Amino acid sequence: MAVPSLATVVADRLTAAMRHAAPDVDPPDPQVRESDHADLQANGLIGLARRLGRPPREVAGEVVAALAARKAGGPLAGCEVAGPGFVNLTVADDALRHQMAARLADERLGVGEPERGLTTVIDYSAPNVAKPMHVGHLRSTVIGDALARVLSHLGGTVVAQNHIGDWGTQFGMLIQHLHEHPHTGNHGIEQLVELYRAANATFDTDDAFAERSRQRVVALQAGDPETVAVWRELVAESTRYFAEVYEHLDVRLTPRDTVGESLYQPHLSGLVDDLRTAGLARDSDGAVVVFPPGHVGRDGSPVPLIVRKRDGGFGYAATDLAALRHRVSTLAADRVLYVVGAPQAQHLRMVFDTATAAGWLPDHVTVAHIAFGSVLGTDGRPLKTRSGHAPGLSDLVDEAVARARAVVADRNPDLPAEALVERARQVGVGAVKYADLSTSRGRDYTFDPDGMVSLTGNTGTYLQYAHARVRSILRRTGDEVGEASAGALLAGDGPLEPAERRLALRLDSFGDVVTEVAATSEPHRLCGYLFTLAQAYTAFYETCPVLTAPPAQRGVRLALCRLTGETLRTGLDLLGIAAPERL
RNA sequence: GCGCCCGUAGCUCAGUGGAUAGAGCAGGGGACUUCUAAUCCCAAGGUCGCAGGUUCGAAUCCUGCCGGGCGCGCCA
């Protein structure tokens, strides 16, 4: 059962008190926030005073009095006016114990399911066939996977769509090159990459080959059996590679979520006709284009969305429109999220605007570009995919895992080789994912391998370590669930230590933060929360002995440990990061 | 030129219009016979790019400027 946080309960009570103290005025948001000066502080009463045209401290005093008059059984132990009209709020120890007990008794830790009944389509990862995945794919994959986990945890239906690049003119040159230089045996990603490089080089230097490649594109589009068979082989090989990468990364995408660009090809002709019929598309120099209003280019003229090229081929805009239409009509999306790099912002806006104009986007469906920044080197220069080589995803992950293995092996000399491999993977992958998820996604991303895999400080490893310490304590009790129970919390009395209070308050906000991540599509908020939670636990760990405490206190502390452990484990899982029992 | 994003500690970054702007890393000083020291504590480090404006109150909202990144007709 959902357990509202103390902050929301207190906010509701303040709103009620404002209504009581000033019945004729619509009460503003009480703005209850965590505070350095108390457990919580409310800033919104100054706004109420403004609406009343009266001195803020006076009004705040009346609201506090109204609050005090109805506080029987409430969670507050104290509230006082401070500064220009803030209200500092202290929650009662009993209220904290009850909150913790309620969360501990609930398998969902008291987190509600506000997404129940909503379907969200998430477009993420989107690697290209016959190309290695690089850091840009990593961001989309990791962020998209985290959002999928969060929305699904909140009760929503999530439909992942891996929009892989499996169509386009480059396949003509790949297939033609394979045709002229047949490979034997299996290919593997390395061979595919080599094929891409060789085909591309020949294409650029050999005009005759380039022409044969163009013919090969025509053959592919016409469904020539031999050509299609080779194409399928290329796609299948890449799909196997993607699946390996996802599994290694603990990403939930599977081949079932793969909906390549090729699948929309049969619908593009009709789509262009529909746009024409709707009066949105028109001919321009032999191409078919849409001019969504409000998009102006270099010379002040409208920027076209090219749905069909002059040569008769369809551009990616057509594919994107077909995909969007499919997601809304067939997949019944209430919300469509595009986890795509920020440089595509204008393109996506034009696609969204065109879809809206065409009537393919009903009002109740929201569409959002979940943009993330470009990948920069440590010199601050962007790493270009085409010119230089963007760092390969596998290289980065392998390096992180190797460093993790060195540290894990150093701390656990007796760990069997097999367990070492798996734990190093969990730690290394967790470090990479956390580094990616913990900064706000809109910013450009500085690719810093050293910082990413350092395994100290504000990293995924810190969170895993805090979790492992929790587990270590609980393992030492004979019956952790029985002793570290909700009942133990409720049986506790006497004042809580400051470190216990701070930990309990952090634990209480978990559901609010997860809901916020869903609302903003910003996983870094969850990272920040989990880091402060781990810090609060560490402070508790340093100052509050658990196993050696007197029985009543021991029960309370064990219960706090267990709730912390389960909150960390759940939070890490929502980020796609493992929480091993031991580090 | 137009549009979008971004300028916060030496570096990498948090920061819901609220009180004294916070973390991590690096560098300095301390703490392991102790439930895991992958940790913790202390000190140091800032014209929040600049200038105006709105507000009781601005890193946060508005305007202008400076600096950086990205995008802007047939690649995806």
Side-chain angles (χ1 to χ4, degrees), chain A residues 316 430 495 542 559:
Chain A
Y316 59 98
E542 300 276 337

Side-chain angles (χ1 to χ4, degrees), chain A residues 145-363:
Chain A
D145 191 54
L147 293 178
R149 288 164 183 262
V150 166
L151 289 168
S152 145
H153 187 71
L154 293 178
T157 300
V158 172
V159 183
Q161 294 279 280
N162 193 359
H163 193 78
I164 65 169
D166 66 352
W167 200 251
T169 49
Q170 75 273 21
F171 284 94
M173 103 192 159
L174 293 173
I175 295 167
Q176 186 61 29
H177 197 274
L178 260 180
H179 181 76
E180 297 176 15
H181 307 84
H183 284 248
T184 52
N186 60 346
H187 295 108
I189 185 63
E190 293 82 7
Q191 281 73 25
L192 285 180
V193 170
E194 174 55 25
L195 166 67
Y196 196 96
R197 196 202 59 75
N200 203 41
T202 313
F203 189 90
D204 288 343
T205 56
D206 182 343
D207 290 345
F209 175 77
E211 180 50 35
R212 291 198 295 279
S213 295
R214 279 188 277 272
Q215 290 305 314
R216 188 59 73 173
V217 173
V218 174
L220 178 62
Q221 286 172 341
D224 169 62
E226 186 214 351
T227 305
V228 169
V230 177
W231 172 76
R232 279 194 207 287
E233 207 178 304
L234 288 171
V235 173
E237 188 60 50
S238 286
T239 303
R240 276 191 288 275
Y241 157 69
F242 300 150
E244 272 174 33
V245 171
Y246 296 143
E247 191 184 346
H248 193 241
L249 285 177
D250 287 335
V251 165
R252 289 181 174 172
L253 280 173
T254 71
R256 285 193 309 280
D257 304 314
T258 298
V259 184
E261 294 170 335
S262 61
L263 292 167
Y264 300 106
Q265 296 306 310
H267 307 109
L268 299 187
S269 179
L271 180 133
V272 171
D273 290 345
D274 290 347
L275 286 172
R276 270 214 176 96
T277 306
L280 291 168
R282 59 165 174 253
D283 295 337
S284 169
D285 296 336
V288 181
V289 303
V290 178
F291 289 103
H295 297 93
V296 180
R298 207 185 306 276
D299 52 3
S301 61
V303 179
L305 193 62
I306 295 158
V307 291
R308 201 170 74 192
K309 297 184 286 187
R310 201 178 300 163
D311 65 6
F314 297 99
Y316 59 98
T319 309
D320 285 343
L321 283 167
L324 181 50
R325 193 156 72 156
H326 174 252
R327 289 160 187 185
V328 172
S329 61
T330 306
L331 300 179
D334 298 294
R335 179 163 50 201
V336 187
L337 303 180
Y338 287 79
V339 188
V340 172
Q344 293 196 48
Q346 186 182 29
H347 166 70
L348 284 173
R349 265 202 314 278
M350 288 170 67
V351 169
F352 298 163
D353 288 353
T354 300
T356 303
W360 301 337
L361 265 182
D363 288 343

